[in-house]
Amino acid sequence: MWRDLRTIGRNADTGGYRRYAWTAADADCRAWFQAQAEARGLACELDRNGNQWAWLGDPSAGDAVVTGSHLDSVPDGGAFDGPLGVVSSFAALDELRRRRVEFTRPVAVTNFGDEEGARFGLACVGSRLAAGQLTREKAYELKDADGISLPQAMEAAGYDPAAIGPDPERLARIGAFVELHVEQGRALDLSGDAVGIASAIWPHGRWRFDFAGEANHAGTTRLVDRRDPMLTYAETVLAARREAELAGALATFGKISVEPNGVNAVPSLVRGWLDSRAADQATLDTVVAAVEQAARERAERDGVHLEVVRESFTPVIEFEHALRDELNKILGGAVPVLGTGAGHDAGILSTSVPTAMLFVRNPTGVSHSPAESADEDDCVAGVMALADVLEGLACR
């Protein structure tokens, strides 16, 4: 499975993956998912929001145990973020069939669409739509860097955007959702454990900072006469690092667009996106407010107009304690429980169904990068842990 999947959407120059929503690479990933489902005799279906489901048993029976993750990527992302969860889900089903277990609840493997938000700027679009956390109207407003809207992209890929929206009937069928994911950090590497259980997802969000100045000639405009938004942006990036360090939080400017984007031109507009996360809401609010304040003070000094727009936000998500404790019991009671600053479909679905997560050790802690990795033995340990969990939940 890994060998067949790993070439899809891979950039030959960087070694990273560019599997963006509703593109050719995304279509190839979806075809791979369907082929894996059909090879196992699973009933594969596509929901109204473009999420894929592969069912073992009758979905309408309810109280289903669902596992899976996503197959899309960030720009030049790694091979494991998302795909490890999907591959491990199919492998866990294979293991359970080898054990000849008898299922008492329906089981499904999922591939949620556009989890990373790399194309349209909003993470977890597929699961947000299903859970009613993203309205059709707001989804229709999403556009990529080329001005292509989400419904246009879906239509071009052969899907009907008129169907998207909340899917409460489908979610009502689910009794538990368990997502396996490569750890995005080094907590397991430091503790010496191959597998961990998630406790919570930190509150996090994305804010767009628009710095509007005045375009001018780089070779003739005196420094004192410039209204250069790049200076304001640069100070804001430094402020984000400074405030995050003071608060023990995280703040990152990882995306930027510049107009007119000429080597010999003072920019008229610099647009930067802030990603910030913290262990609690109060800390996150403090960091973002401090970054915005620093940006406004510098903007006034530079003669630059600043607009800040919150594009997405997810509050702290505590995974259901009863399900989390049940996973720990199934796995022997000595599995480390750890929080994470990364968002996941499991976090979105937690408002609608009981959810839990398993993490597989990442020896470097690197993620969202071609250097992302996990050892084969740890991946196998993750598969076995997921199989044990599915057996404990769906075969009792």
Side-chain angles (χ1 to χ4, degrees):
M1 282 189 290
W2 201 253
R3 182 177 59 252
D4 293 341
L5 181 63
R6 67 182 304 168
T7 60
I8 299 175
R10 191 171 192 179
N11 182 272
D13 295 329
T14 66
Y17 289 88
R18 300 178 182 181
R19 297 167 173 162
Y20 308 147
W22 309 114
T23 63
D26 184 46
D28 288 344
C29 286
R30 291 171 177 273
W32 174 91
F33 182 94
Q34 184 165 345
Q36 295 300 324
E38 292 175 350
R40 292 166 173 78
L42 307 179
C44 194
E45 61 178 347
L46 192 72
D47 70 19
R48 61 188 301 178
N49 298 304
N51 304 310
Q52 290 179 289
W53 301 75
W55 287 95
L56 176 65
D58 181 9
S60 64
D63 200 29
V65 178
V66 180
T67 186
S69 192
H70 63 95
L71 294 174
D72 66 312
S73 76
V74 299
D76 287 322
F80 294 83
D81 182 353
L84 180 63
V86 179
V87 170
S88 297
S89 297
F90 283 124
L93 282 185
D94 293 343
E95 167 63 17
L96 291 180
R97 282 174 162 172
R98 187 192 67 79
R99 297 178 187 178
R100 300 184 183 277
V101 301
E102 182 177 343
F103 292 92
T104 57
R105 300 166 69 179
V107 175
V109 177
T110 60
N111 168 34
F112 284 103
D114 200 5
E115 194 270 356
E116 296 290 6
R119 183 173 182 184
F120 299 103
L122 178 65
C124 301
V125 169
S127 55
R128 284 183 192 274
L129 283 167
Q133 297 181 24
L134 174 64
T135 65
R136 180 186 302 175
E137 292 72 24
K138 289 294 184 182
Y140 274 26
E141 294 174 3
L142 297 175
K143 293 184 178 181
D144 67 11
D146 296 319
I148 299 172
S149 69
L150 174 63
Q152 288 173 327
M154 292 183 72
E155 281 186 327
Y159 295 87
D160 181 11
I164 66 174
D167 205 349
E169 292 183 2
R170 180 176 297 275
L171 296 186
R173 301 173 181 174
I174 303 174
F177 176 68
V178 181
E179 181 175 3
L180 179 143
H181 205 281
V182 67
E183 187 194 359
Q184 294 165 293
R186 291 189 58 217
L188 292 176
D189 183 59
L190 295 174
S191 70
D193 296 284
V195 177
I197 297 174
S199 60
I201 296 176
W202 287 8
H204 57 279
R206 297 177 182 181
W207 289 260
R208 192 187 76 231
F209 283 62
D210 293 347
F211 303 93
E214 181 181 58
N216 220 323
H217 197 299
T220 62
T221 310
R222 296 190 312 159
L223 296 180
V224 70
D225 292 333
R226 299 184 181 194
R227 294 174 52 217
D228 187 351
M230 189 64 78
L231 293 178
T232 318
Y233 170 72
E235 174 58 34
T236 305
V237 173
L238 295 175
R241 173 60 181 258
R242 183 170 61 248
E243 297 300 333
E245 282 187 327
L246 289 172
L250 299 169
T252 308
F253 276 95
K255 179 180 178 181
I256 182 175
S257 68
V258 182
E259 297 177 10
N261 204 29
V263 174
N264 59 349
V266 176
S268 61
L269 176 68
V270 175
R271 178 170 286 145
W273 281 263
L274 171 68
D275 179 299
S276 190
R277 307 161 192 246
D280 59 80
Q281 186 65 55
T283 302
L284 179 62
D285 291 343
T286 298
V287 170
V288 174
V291 174
E292 181 175 347
Q293 180 62 28
R296 294 197 180 280
E297 290 176 358
R298 181 69 196 215
E300 183 176 358
R301 174 179 165 186
D302 295 333
V304 168
H305 174 73
L306 171 63
E307 182 179 1
V308 180
V309 178
R310 190 179 78 179
E311 292 193 335
S312 68
F313 175 73
T314 303
V316 62
I317 295 169
E318 286 276 351
F319 290 110
E320 187 181 84
H321 290 199
L323 181 58
R324 186 184 70 193
D325 293 345
E326 188 169 4
L327 261 64
N328 212 334
K329 181 179 179 180
I330 291 171
L331 297 177
V335 181
V337 179
L338 54 144
T340 177
H344 301 280
D345 291 311
I348 300 298
L349 295 181
S350 68
T351 61
S352 304
V353 300
T355 60
M357 290 192 71
L358 295 173
F359 289 129
V360 172
R361 176 166 47 193
N362 179 340
T364 65
V366 174
S367 188
H368 284 188
S369 158
E372 182 179 85
S373 68
D375 293 338
E376 184 173 330
D377 287 347
D378 289 344
C379 292
V380 172
V383 168
M384 301 305 287
L386 181 59
D388 290 343
V389 165
L390 295 179
E391 182 176 0
L393 296 177
C395 305
R396 56 191 178 188

